Amino acid sequence: MSKESGVGLDKKIAVIGLGYVGLPLAVELSKSFPVVGFDICQQRIVELKNGNDRTLEVPAEVLSDTDFILTDDLQALRGVDIYIVTVPTPVHENCLPDFSPLQKACQMIGSVMTKGSIVVFESTVYPGVTRGMCGALLQEVSGLVCEKDFFLGYSPERINPGDHQHRLHNMTKVVAGSEPWVTEVLVEVYGAINKGDIFKAKSIEVAEAAKVLENTQRDINVAFMNEVAMICQKLDISVYDVLDVAETKWNFLPFRPGLVGGHCIGVDPYYWACCARQKGIDPHLTLSGRQTNESMSSFLVQEVVKRVAKGKVAVLGLTFKEDIPDLRNTKVMDLIAGLKENGYEVDVFDPLAYGQEAEELYGITLSSQMDQQRYQAIIAVVPHQAYRQLSSPEIDAALGSNGWVIDLKGMWRDRVFSHSYWCL
């Protein structure tokens, strides 16, 4: 592809990584372009070919009607014009960025790309990573010259797992290319998905910065709500009662307290902090928000300890947020660990999480027979719709005589129970 050629509907696109971000993108792009969907996980490819998207982002009937290639064969990426990288960018245990998935993707693409290729990154990074690390690695592996033989682009992903209102077809897409003509190509590609609702960032670095800013801002706002929740507990009032009042003001921002995990909000601030330190800036506000959110599980454990006698408790929900099966970086695990350290026996329930994944990631065996137990507490952590629909008698029936209903998100605040009840 060259700057004279434009994009054209015959240009072949490969989406690298078919998770929460990559799969919906590949499906939408395949409506206008020839698309190869690539993932290194063979099991994932088999499941998708059988119409099963375990992320619940793409229904089986949509998968079956989608005309694209699904593969884990690297050779299928030869002859591609545009590569779009959607692999995760997590952090190490020391909270420093883990670029290994991104580096592996660059190495694979570099081994098959040809002159004229455009490589676009949607993975969250801090400013400078696309041109610096990714461009250099692609150049090293391919033997081609960056900005001469191949070109770079960045388009920050904005998928919100479980959100079926804000989708690719109706959200603004940000694009930036290493050359002005590359930006225009990306306008055409992504514009085919959302009727041209495209914002052209001034540069790749600006687009990279905007992405980490979006999630870092949310993290800080939730951290403030968590701090407010802690203060309200000392005042013996519910933070949710306070928020009900505050949210009647037209310009109040409707953030809520909770455990902040997942692959974006619980991770991206560390990328921003890493970038800041490289430039000699102390990111104290960013990290203060992270510290507050990371401490929330310990605070909740102590609130349970104050009320609930030692024994067996049921934790409802393991995923990092409601109504999705995503277990990555779930802070519920910190809560479970804290409960066990304080002498509780913990049964964990989640109707959406995959049992095999829970075992592999965390060594957790999911339970399924809450109605046959007599727990010291039912601790509702993740407000899945299935838990919202539980009746008060069903919940009471699972508790012993001195049991507690612990409702971290306040989803049962308007209920009447025959047992003691507590929420933030």
Side-chain angles (χ1 to χ4, degrees):
M1 186 183 297
S2 68
K3 58 186 176 182
E4 291 83 15
S5 67
V7 58
L9 298 181
D10 61 333
K11 297 304 180 183
K12 193 172 183 180
I13 298 174
V15 177
I16 314 301
L18 298 177
Y20 285 85
V21 175
L23 181 63
L25 178 63
V27 168
E28 291 299 322
L29 286 172
S30 69
K31 297 175 182 178
S32 302
F33 306 97
V35 170
V36 177
F38 176 87
D39 200 286
I40 60 173
C41 178
Q42 185 181 48
Q43 181 181 353
R44 174 71 169 156
I45 296 300
V46 171
E47 289 176 355
L48 292 177
K49 286 183 176 180
N50 290 330
N52 175 29
D53 171 26
R54 64 165 56 196
T55 70
L56 305 182
E57 291 296 312
V58 180
E61 60 271 20
V62 174
L63 275 176
S64 63
D65 290 340
T66 298
D67 182 21
F68 64 165
I69 296 171
L70 291 167
T71 184
D72 63 340
D73 181 6
L74 183 59
Q75 299 310 309
L77 298 182
R78 294 190 181 278
V80 165
D81 300 292
I82 301 172
Y83 299 88
I84 302 179
V85 180
T86 64
V87 300
T89 43
V91 292
H92 292 290
E93 289 186 3
N94 60 4
C95 296
L96 292 176
D98 178 4
F99 289 120
S100 57
L102 196 59
Q103 292 168 331
K104 185 171 184 178
C106 289
Q107 290 168 340
M108 290 189 297
I109 294 169
S111 70
V112 295
M113 65 189 289
T114 56
K115 282 189 176 182
S117 295
I118 295 175
V119 185
V120 184
F121 296 89
E122 291 210 4
S123 305
T124 301
V125 294
Y126 55 75
V129 171
T130 297
R131 289 187 199 264
M133 186 190 76
C134 297
L137 188 52
L138 288 165
Q139 179 170 284
E140 176 186 343
V141 176
S142 68
L144 302 174
V145 179
C146 188
E147 311 291 346
K148 177 182 177 184
D149 298 327
F150 71 92
F151 304 89
L152 301 172
Y154 190 77
S155 181
E157 59 90 0
R158 283 178 166 172
I159 291 290
N160 181 24
D163 184 344
H164 297 289
Q165 179 180 357
H166 303 97
R167 308 299 292 173
L168 283 167
H169 70 273
N170 63 5
M171 70 169 67
T172 301
K173 203 73 172 77
V174 174
V175 300
S178 56
E179 298 285 346
W181 71 268
V182 176
T183 300
E184 295 307 318
V185 168
L186 300 186
V187 168
E188 290 186 58
V189 170
Y190 287 104
I193 293 176
N194 66 0
K195 299 180 180 179
D197 185 9
I198 305 296
F199 188 95
K200 292 186 281 187
K202 294 291 186 182
S203 67
I204 286 176
E205 290 74 20
V206 167
E208 290 169 321
K211 172 55 183 174
V212 286
L213 170 61
E214 290 169 14
N215 285 331
T216 300
Q217 181 192 63
R218 286 185 59 80
D219 191 49
I220 291 171
N221 277 292
V222 176
F224 177 58
M225 289 298 102
N226 279 335
E227 185 174 272
V228 170
M230 295 176 191
I231 296 169
C232 285
Q233 281 301 304
K234 296 295 185 182
L235 297 172
D236 199 27
I237 57 177
S238 170
V239 65
Y240 297 115
D241 291 339
V242 175
L243 289 172
D244 285 346
V245 177
E247 287 173 1
T248 63
K249 190 168 188 279
W250 70 91
N251 60 352
F252 185 83
L253 301 178
F255 289 93
R256 294 259 160 163
L259 299 175
V260 186
H263 54 96
C264 289
I265 300 178
V267 170
D268 294 356
Y270 291 122
Y271 277 71
W272 189 240
C274 180
C275 179
R277 285 168 170 158
Q278 289 178 0
K279 300 303 179 182
I281 301 295
D282 177 14
H284 57 275
L285 180 57
T286 297
L287 293 179
S288 176
R290 265 292 76 218
Q291 184 178 11
T292 297
N293 286 337
E294 291 285 356
S295 70
M296 194 61 181
S297 58
S298 296
F299 170 78
L300 294 172
V301 167
Q302 292 309 309
E303 292 300 313
V304 172
V305 170
K306 290 177 186 177
R307 296 166 174 83
V308 180
K310 298 294 188 294
K312 183 178 284 190
V313 299
V315 168
L316 305 190
L318 183 61
T319 61
F320 85 85
K321 63 180 286 190
E322 64 270 21
D323 297 325
I324 65 169
D326 197 343
L327 292 172
R328 289 175 295 174
N329 192 34
T330 174
K331 297 305 179 183
V332 183
M333 280 306 305
D334 294 342
L335 178 71
I336 292 170
L339 291 170
K340 290 181 177 179
E341 288 173 3
N342 279 275
Y344 295 96
E345 184 180 349
V346 182
D347 284 353
V348 182
F349 299 82
D350 196 303
L352 295 181
Y354 285 84
Q356 180 182 347
E357 189 174 12
E359 287 271 11
E360 292 174 352
L361 290 178
Y362 304 113
I364 291 288
T365 300
L366 295 177
S367 301
S368 60
Q369 299 296 324
M370 186 176 69
D371 57 339
Q372 296 181 6
Q373 302 290 335
R374 288 294 181 267
Y375 292 103
Q376 295 287 65
I378 302 296
I379 305 175
V381 185
V382 185
H384 291 312
Q385 190 61 34
Y387 295 145
R388 291 180 181 274
Q389 294 173 350
L390 285 175
S391 68
S392 297
E394 286 178 301
I395 297 166
D396 279 323
L399 290 166
S401 58
N402 296 314
W404 277 81
V405 178
I406 305 293
D407 181 11
L408 302 187
K409 298 293 287 187
M411 63 177 170
W412 299 326
R413 289 168 58 215
D414 298 327
R415 302 279 195 88
V416 174
F417 296 96
S418 60
H419 292 85
S420 299
Y421 174 84
W422 176 85
C423 75
L424 282 173

